[in-house]
Amino acid sequence: MSHVMKSAMVCRGSARTAIARRALRFRSRTAGFVAVAAMAMATVGLARPASAQIGEMFGGRATVLTNATVMTPDGPIENANVVIRRGAIASITTDEPQVRGRTQVVDASGLVITPGLIDVHGTLGLTGNGGGGPRNRASDAFDRYDTDAIERAWRGGVTMVYIPARGGSISGTGAVMKLGSSVQEVDAGNALCIDLDSGASSLARLGRVQSIRQQFKQAIEYRESREIYADEQLPEYEKKLAEQVEARKKKEAEEGADGEKKDSAALVAGDEDLQPTPRRRRGGRPGAPPAAGRGGGGGGGGEAEEARKPREPRANRAADVLLRAIDREIPVRIVAHRSADILNAIALGEEFGLRVVIEGGHEAGLVADALAAADVSVVMGPAPTASPYGGPRFLRFDPHAPAALAAAGVDTVIGSGVGGATPYLLMNAQLVASHAPSVNPLNAVTVDAARFLGLPDHGAIRRGGAADLVLWSGDPHDPGSSVVAVMIDGRTVFGTLPE
Amino acid sequence: MSDCMMHNRTFRRTLHRTTARSIAAAGLTVAVGLMPAIASASVSSASAISASAIRDGHDHVILAPHVLMPDGSLADDMAVHVVDGAIKQIGSMKDFADHPNATRLPDGAVLSPGLIDLAASVGVRGANSSTTEVLDPNPSVVEAFDPHAPGVRAALEAGITAVMIIPGPNGLVDGATATVRTAPEDDGSADVLNAEGAMMFSMGSAALATANGPTSRAGAMQLLRSTMRNMDKNDGSRMSRVMGGDMPAVLVADAPEDVSAMLRLMDRQGVVPTIYAPNAAVEVAAEVAEYEGAAIVGPLGFRSGDRLLMGADALDAAGVPIAFAGGLPNNSPDQLRMTAAIAVRAGVDPDAARRGLTSTAARIAGVEDTIGSIAVGHAADFTIFSGDPLRMDSRVLEVHVRGHRVHAASH
């Protein structure tokens, strides 16, 4: 080896060592960083939505929005400061905010801050209607890459949308989606969706109601069959089996070492450790096809007959969904406009004990008392006078309907309805309010909407609530005001915060 | 020639002159501002509303927290003195507070001219223009209007005190528009403000599809050109009055090329039509501004596409005066104010939008000296809103026509 090459090798060697040493230092530092990050993720991961986790990891400092008009359910607070920490609202104060070193301070003077608006009845981002059936999920049909539609929603101040399932008569489960920079499912099974409206002829509508009733009845039968299996058939079989085991044991004891019989029953019978244990765990969830076998078990034979294991009713996920509605875990949103369909929906609810919500309800004003008596809520889409057919020529659309519902004490919530009108959510609520003065349009699409969807941490600017906020250039009720910025879980997803 | 050109090109100058006159009469400086402060809380209580019942009659004064002025702004704390159904004086609230027959409106209320809906066909029974005559300047659509038809009363209760009815668009020239009040005369007959408002021209697909006339744009232009060339300008016919600048024109068109071609053709006669071309507006806005024309916008709804919204914004940005069509009776009466509100959302200046509901609309309909402005000498046609009419939660509290209350909200 030449002298040059040798020294080169030595150089390389020492260089390699130096590099190796540096690498080791880097690796250990990185490892430390990764370890800390992992721990942070672990602690943060406990109860936080994903975007808040990310917000904390890479932007974990607090943000203070100063000197703005903050809209609360009780009215505006002038010259207020909102402190946001870890994706949630830490405080609202009119005092001087405490600003620590890395806090981001935003001069929001002249701006109005509202909670992110919530659309309880939108079709944003929905593509097609997926064929229907109780297992259909609206969240699967949501196009989270429809960035145009999402941006338009932000321009209207909307941060959360409930989207319905559509298709067939029992259409599936609707979902609540949060419009962060990556859209999240807040609740994929928020409500069961039923459609009584589509279908032109009265006969078709009649058939539809019957089909829906049938499906609910079958779901109940399915649960009953699973209960019978678990509570009667299985214990009976086990009892019988135990008796047979006893009988065989006695017989064997009498016959001595005769037992070469290897049939499975004998094997099972002969080993005490293999006593059949109650299979309650497998049968835990209700769900099986309606005609589930009342098989096996106690088929009237004599003691000499072998116990036959009853067939467990198969799981039926569709019926599971219907049973959640029957157990009042989720509401049932029924699309119904004609007064006759609304009355059918009420009857359906009473027959099966459902929490019924009427979706649409153009003629709800005509049956307001029935709705109030049955404690049925109404989700309104476009105001009657905003509908494309809202003119005086079309008698079904009564501008006085919202007032009639309010007067009868029917719980009414306002969404944007079909047709991509989510950006006009607040304007629609204002239009309803012009005919029903008891409606507060901003509350209708914030705190009332959140309560209706079962989202206690959203819909109002209060301590501990999610930092879903919209900064407006002026009073959001004025059409000349525009959205300056939208924050979701404390992160700006649209627009820019002023310096 | 020169005087007809002047007539058509003084559209905006006349508007400003009217404004200046009313301001001078009022003897005060009008504060040109934007929206009033958020002040609708007190108006939502029922007692405040019933307290607004104005003691109308031969001579009364309305004390208004806000008045919608001819320039579209909202002026504060004003008083309007009405005598025999017409506006006699406009002043400040404190000057008229001691008038024996003065009533103060509730806090936040806005006294507005009655709204005017352009391009409506409400109250008209049956077809209102010929489907066989392609060049038919003579029909008067007012003869088909029934003031008791369903929908007319609904319009009144929504604050619309006058509508401009348009014939057609079935042919190249369909006849004249007419402007009528939504409240009938005392004897029940139609209260016609202008039986011959503007001549309707249409370059839409309906006009070019008739079996009796031109089926191409070139053919249509040639027909119009030769008609104008061969016309005796002084025979008193409608067409000659249009070409002589004595009768305004409204052009309905779909394609930008059609708008351009008609603007050029009519400019040779010194005529500037009002353009009603929602789909073409975004492209022709600058051109319409060059010719100093006006434009009709709407109807706009929650589902209106970007093209329509951008068109409204482009027209306003180019300085074209715009007025709104609500689409009665197919659309609800609320659609007029919704059109204005959605146009503002799309970028139209709020003052321009308020003018579009009132004074500019009156100008396009040819009734600007009678209604559409709170100005001395105008009829006392008012709508009293609970707030800025551009806010959709503002409600109609009362409607007055010729100084008499014709509607009061029940809740």
mmCIF file of all heavy atoms in Angstrom, chain A residues 49 137-142 144 160 163 175-179 182-189:
data_model
loop_
_atom_site.group_PDB
_atom_site.id
_atom_site.type_symbol
_atom_site.label_atom_id
_atom_site.label_comp_id
_atom_site.label_asym_id
_atom_site.label_seq_id
_atom_site.Cartn_x
_atom_site.Cartn_y
_atom_site.Cartn_z
ATOM 1 N N PRO A 49 -58.585 16.459 20.443
ATOM 2 C CA PRO A 49 -58.672 16.148 19.014
ATOM 3 C C PRO A 49 -57.310 16.301 18.344
ATOM 4 O O PRO A 49 -56.458 17.016 18.834
ATOM 5 C CB PRO A 49 -59.655 17.186 18.470
ATOM 6 C CG PRO A 49 -59.711 18.244 19.503
ATOM 7 C CD PRO A 49 -59.345 17.639 20.807
ATOM 8 N N ARG A 137 -73.114 5.376 6.023
ATOM 9 C CA ARG A 137 -72.611 6.448 6.878
ATOM 10 C C ARG A 137 -72.356 7.695 6.057
ATOM 11 O O ARG A 137 -71.601 7.652 5.077
ATOM 12 C CB ARG A 137 -71.299 6.024 7.557
ATOM 13 C CG ARG A 137 -71.488 5.027 8.665
ATOM 14 C CD ARG A 137 -70.204 4.284 9.022
ATOM 15 N NE ARG A 137 -69.009 5.047 8.839
ATOM 16 C CZ ARG A 137 -68.166 5.389 9.817
ATOM 17 N NH1 ARG A 137 -68.447 5.037 11.062
ATOM 18 N NH2 ARG A 137 -67.083 6.054 9.558
ATOM 19 N N ALA A 138 -72.942 8.813 6.479
ATOM 20 C CA ALA A 138 -72.734 10.069 5.758
ATOM 21 C C ALA A 138 -71.262 10.447 5.760
ATOM 22 O O ALA A 138 -70.756 11.015 4.791
ATOM 23 C CB ALA A 138 -73.569 11.171 6.394
ATOM 24 N N SER A 139 -70.541 10.151 6.825
ATOM 25 C CA SER A 139 -69.145 10.567 6.889
ATOM 26 C C SER A 139 -68.324 9.896 5.787
ATOM 27 O O SER A 139 -67.326 10.440 5.340
ATOM 28 C CB SER A 139 -68.557 10.251 8.257
ATOM 29 O OG SER A 139 -68.714 8.888 8.544
ATOM 30 N N ASP A 140 -68.762 8.714 5.341
ATOM 31 C CA ASP A 140 -68.040 8.056 4.249
ATOM 32 C C ASP A 140 -68.264 8.762 2.918
ATOM 33 O O ASP A 140 -67.458 8.644 2.005
ATOM 34 C CB ASP A 140 -68.498 6.596 4.112
ATOM 35 C CG ASP A 140 -68.085 5.763 5.310
ATOM 36 O OD1 ASP A 140 -67.104 6.143 5.978
ATOM 37 O OD2 ASP A 140 -68.751 4.744 5.578
ATOM 38 N N ALA A 141 -69.386 9.514 2.817
ATOM 39 C CA ALA A 141 -69.693 10.177 1.553
ATOM 40 C C ALA A 141 -69.131 11.587 1.516
ATOM 41 O O ALA A 141 -69.273 12.288 0.526
ATOM 42 C CB ALA A 141 -71.208 10.228 1.352
ATOM 43 N N PHE A 142 -68.508 12.012 2.593
ATOM 44 C CA PHE A 142 -68.044 13.396 2.667
ATOM 45 C C PHE A 142 -66.750 13.562 1.897
ATOM 46 O O PHE A 142 -65.791 12.833 2.125
ATOM 47 C CB PHE A 142 -67.843 13.778 4.135
ATOM 48 C CG PHE A 142 -67.472 15.226 4.319
ATOM 49 C CD1 PHE A 142 -68.445 16.201 4.332
ATOM 50 C CD2 PHE A 142 -66.152 15.599 4.455
ATOM 51 C CE1 PHE A 142 -68.111 17.543 4.502
ATOM 52 C CE2 PHE A 142 -65.803 16.925 4.628
ATOM 53 C CZ PHE A 142 -66.793 17.900 4.652
ATOM 54 N N ARG A 144 -63.665 15.327 1.669
ATOM 55 C CA ARG A 144 -62.862 16.274 2.437
ATOM 56 C C ARG A 144 -61.889 17.053 1.564
ATOM 57 O O ARG A 144 -61.164 17.912 2.045
ATOM 58 C CB ARG A 144 -62.136 15.580 3.594
ATOM 59 C CG ARG A 144 -61.432 14.326 3.216
ATOM 60 C CD ARG A 144 -61.089 13.507 4.465
ATOM 61 N NE ARG A 144 -62.232 12.756 4.968
ATOM 62 C CZ ARG A 144 -62.496 12.562 6.250
ATOM 63 N NH1 ARG A 144 -61.706 13.068 7.159
ATOM 64 N NH2 ARG A 144 -63.535 11.864 6.621
ATOM 65 N N MET A 160 -68.457 24.011 11.655
ATOM 66 C CA MET A 160 -68.899 22.637 11.864
ATOM 67 C C MET A 160 -70.193 22.389 11.116
ATOM 68 O O MET A 160 -71.059 23.262 11.042
ATOM 69 C CB MET A 160 -69.125 22.379 13.358
ATOM 70 C CG MET A 160 -68.450 21.145 13.757
ATOM 71 S SD MET A 160 -68.133 20.651 15.410
ATOM 72 C CE MET A 160 -68.872 21.771 16.452
ATOM 73 N N ILE A 163 -73.907 16.510 8.478
ATOM 74 C CA ILE A 163 -74.324 16.104 7.140
ATOM 75 C C ILE A 163 -75.196 14.856 7.240
ATOM 76 O O ILE A 163 -74.892 13.922 7.977
ATOM 77 C CB ILE A 163 -73.128 15.847 6.214
ATOM 78 C CG1 ILE A 163 -72.086 14.963 6.902
ATOM 79 C CG2 ILE A 163 -72.501 17.153 5.759
ATOM 80 C CD1 ILE A 163 -71.035 14.476 5.939
ATOM 81 N N ALA A 175 -73.542 12.546 10.244
ATOM 82 C CA ALA A 175 -72.287 12.789 10.962
ATOM 83 C C ALA A 175 -72.058 14.271 11.172
ATOM 84 O O ALA A 175 -72.516 15.104 10.399
ATOM 85 C CB ALA A 175 -71.115 12.210 10.173
ATOM 86 N N VAL A 176 -71.343 14.584 12.247
ATOM 87 C CA VAL A 176 -70.920 15.958 12.482
ATOM 88 C C VAL A 176 -69.449 16.057 12.087
ATOM 89 O O VAL A 176 -68.614 15.284 12.582
ATOM 90 C CB VAL A 176 -71.082 16.347 13.970
ATOM 91 C CG1 VAL A 176 -70.613 17.777 14.190
ATOM 92 C CG2 VAL A 176 -72.529 16.199 14.396
ATOM 93 N N MET A 177 -69.156 16.974 11.192
ATOM 94 C CA MET A 177 -67.784 17.143 10.702
ATOM 95 C C MET A 177 -67.257 18.510 11.114
ATOM 96 O O MET A 177 -67.968 19.510 10.987
ATOM 97 C CB MET A 177 -67.743 17.054 9.169
ATOM 98 C CG MET A 177 -68.549 15.911 8.569
ATOM 99 S SD MET A 177 -67.923 14.275 8.998
ATOM 100 C CE MET A 177 -66.450 14.213 7.991
ATOM 101 N N LYS A 178 -66.016 18.530 11.607
ATOM 102 C CA LYS A 178 -65.417 19.814 11.972
ATOM 103 C C LYS A 178 -64.512 20.231 10.822
ATOM 104 O O LYS A 178 -63.670 19.456 10.366
ATOM 105 C CB LYS A 178 -64.622 19.667 13.272
ATOM 106 C CG LYS A 178 -64.085 21.014 13.771
ATOM 107 C CD LYS A 178 -63.237 20.859 15.015
ATOM 108 C CE LYS A 178 -64.056 21.021 16.265
ATOM 109 N NZ LYS A 178 -63.283 21.632 17.356
ATOM 110 N N LEU A 179 -64.671 21.473 10.347
ATOM 111 C CA LEU A 179 -63.963 21.909 9.156
ATOM 112 C C LEU A 179 -62.608 22.524 9.494
ATOM 113 O O LEU A 179 -62.349 23.697 9.209
ATOM 114 C CB LEU A 179 -64.819 22.929 8.393
ATOM 115 C CG LEU A 179 -66.250 22.482 8.066
ATOM 116 C CD1 LEU A 179 -66.990 23.583 7.340
ATOM 117 C CD2 LEU A 179 -66.237 21.229 7.227
ATOM 118 N N SER A 182 -57.596 19.951 8.328
ATOM 119 C CA SER A 182 -57.929 18.601 7.889
ATOM 120 C C SER A 182 -59.252 18.274 8.561
ATOM 121 O O SER A 182 -59.387 18.372 9.766
ATOM 122 C CB SER A 182 -56.844 17.611 8.299
ATOM 123 O OG SER A 182 -56.950 17.290 9.648
ATOM 124 N N VAL A 183 -60.221 17.906 7.734
ATOM 125 C CA VAL A 183 -61.573 17.756 8.274
ATOM 126 C C VAL A 183 -61.637 16.560 9.217
ATOM 127 O O VAL A 183 -61.104 15.503 8.917
ATOM 128 C CB VAL A 183 -62.566 17.562 7.117
ATOM 129 C CG1 VAL A 183 -63.957 17.336 7.652
ATOM 130 C CG2 VAL A 183 -62.534 18.782 6.211
ATOM 131 N N GLN A 184 -62.254 16.753 10.355
ATOM 132 C CA GLN A 184 -62.390 15.655 11.312
ATOM 133 C C GLN A 184 -63.834 15.255 11.485
ATOM 134 O O GLN A 184 -64.720 16.096 11.496
ATOM 135 C CB GLN A 184 -61.985 16.080 12.704
ATOM 136 C CG GLN A 184 -60.578 16.495 12.911
ATOM 137 C CD GLN A 184 -60.568 17.417 14.111
ATOM 138 O OE1 GLN A 184 -60.149 18.548 14.021
ATOM 139 N NE2 GLN A 184 -61.088 16.926 15.208
ATOM 140 N N GLU A 185 -64.011 13.968 11.741
ATOM 141 C CA GLU A 185 -65.323 13.498 12.195
ATOM 142 C C GLU A 185 -65.413 13.753 13.687
ATOM 143 O O GLU A 185 -64.642 13.191 14.437
ATOM 144 C CB GLU A 185 -65.433 11.981 12.021
ATOM 145 C CG GLU A 185 -65.718 11.524 10.637
ATOM 146 C CD GLU A 185 -65.655 9.995 10.578
ATOM 147 O OE1 GLU A 185 -65.683 9.340 11.648
ATOM 148 O OE2 GLU A 185 -65.545 9.486 9.477
ATOM 149 N N VAL A 186 -66.314 14.573 14.081
ATOM 150 C CA VAL A 186 -66.505 14.762 15.518
ATOM 151 C C VAL A 186 -67.436 13.672 16.048
ATOM 152 O O VAL A 186 -67.289 13.201 17.164
ATOM 153 C CB VAL A 186 -67.094 16.164 15.775
ATOM 154 C CG1 VAL A 186 -67.546 16.319 17.202
ATOM 155 C CG2 VAL A 186 -66.067 17.230 15.423
ATOM 156 N N ASP A 187 -68.389 13.286 15.232
ATOM 157 C CA ASP A 187 -69.357 12.275 15.647
ATOM 158 C C ASP A 187 -69.912 11.615 14.393
ATOM 159 O O ASP A 187 -70.707 12.200 13.691
ATOM 160 C CB ASP A 187 -70.483 12.959 16.450
ATOM 161 C CG ASP A 187 -71.484 11.954 16.997
ATOM 162 O OD1 ASP A 187 -71.376 10.745 16.671
ATOM 163 O OD2 ASP A 187 -72.367 12.365 17.758
ATOM 164 N N ALA A 188 -69.445 10.381 14.137
ATOM 165 C CA ALA A 188 -69.840 9.742 12.882
ATOM 166 C C ALA A 188 -71.236 9.150 12.943
ATOM 167 O O ALA A 188 -71.830 8.849 11.931
ATOM 168 C CB ALA A 188 -68.836 8.660 12.515
ATOM 169 N N GLY A 189 -71.764 8.953 14.128
ATOM 170 C CA GLY A 189 -73.093 8.339 14.231
ATOM 171 C C GLY A 189 -74.003 9.220 15.054
ATOM 172 O O GLY A 189 -74.514 8.833 16.089
#
